[in-house]
Amino acid sequence: MGNQALQIRHPYITFDKKIRGGEAIIAGTGIRVLDIAVRYEFMALSPEDINVAFPHINLSQIHDALSYYYEHKFEIDKKWKDSI
């Protein structure tokens, strides 16, 4: 393995310039990774609570969104702060 960084795949995350300006979203939805992260980090909702708020997505999608968020936390947080 050496010093190579491990590439993590996020099967539920996609990007489309026509949806949310190309931000990371849960595939097949308009729900941004940021929407999930804010509910988890700042509103202190559990993944199960987030699932109640967004019943059309599943826990696997929510956990993948959180994983993606933590991998890209700095850039997502910066974009969010810059938009306020």
Side-chain angles (χ1 to χ4, degrees), residues 52-69:
V52 170
F54 296 107
H56 56 290
I57 61 175
N58 62 47
L59 285 173
S60 296
Q61 292 168 304
I62 292 166
H63 285 287
D64 195 32
L66 290 171
S67 173
Y68 183 88
Y69 169 70

Side-chain angles (χ1 to χ4, degrees), residues 3 12 17-18 20 36-37 40 45 49-51 60 64 68 78:
N3 290 335
Y12 298 106
K17 290 276 186 212
K18 298 177 204 149
R20 302 289 190 140
I36 301 299
Y40 185 77
L45 296 179
D49 292 333
I50 295 168
N51 191 221
S60 296
D64 195 32
Y68 183 88
K78 183 174 180 353

Side-chain angles (χ1 to χ4, degrees), residues 15-77:
F15 308 86
D16 183 335
K17 290 276 186 212
K18 298 177 204 149
I19 303 171
R20 302 289 190 140
E23 287 187 54
I25 60 169
I26 295 176
T29 77
I31 300 171
R32 300 175 300 171
V33 166
L34 178 61
D35 298 328
I36 301 299
V38 164
R39 281 163 177 78
Y40 185 77
E41 283 282 304
F42 302 106
M43 297 171 69
L45 296 179
S46 70
E48 291 78 11
D49 292 333
I50 295 168
N51 191 221
V52 170
F54 296 107
H56 56 290
I57 61 175
N58 62 47
L59 285 173
S60 296
Q61 292 168 304
I62 292 166
H63 285 287
D64 195 32
L66 290 171
S67 173
Y68 183 88
Y69 169 70
Y70 287 116
E71 264 183 56
H72 301 90
K73 187 175 184 336
F74 178 79
E75 65 194 58
I76 293 171
D77 286 353

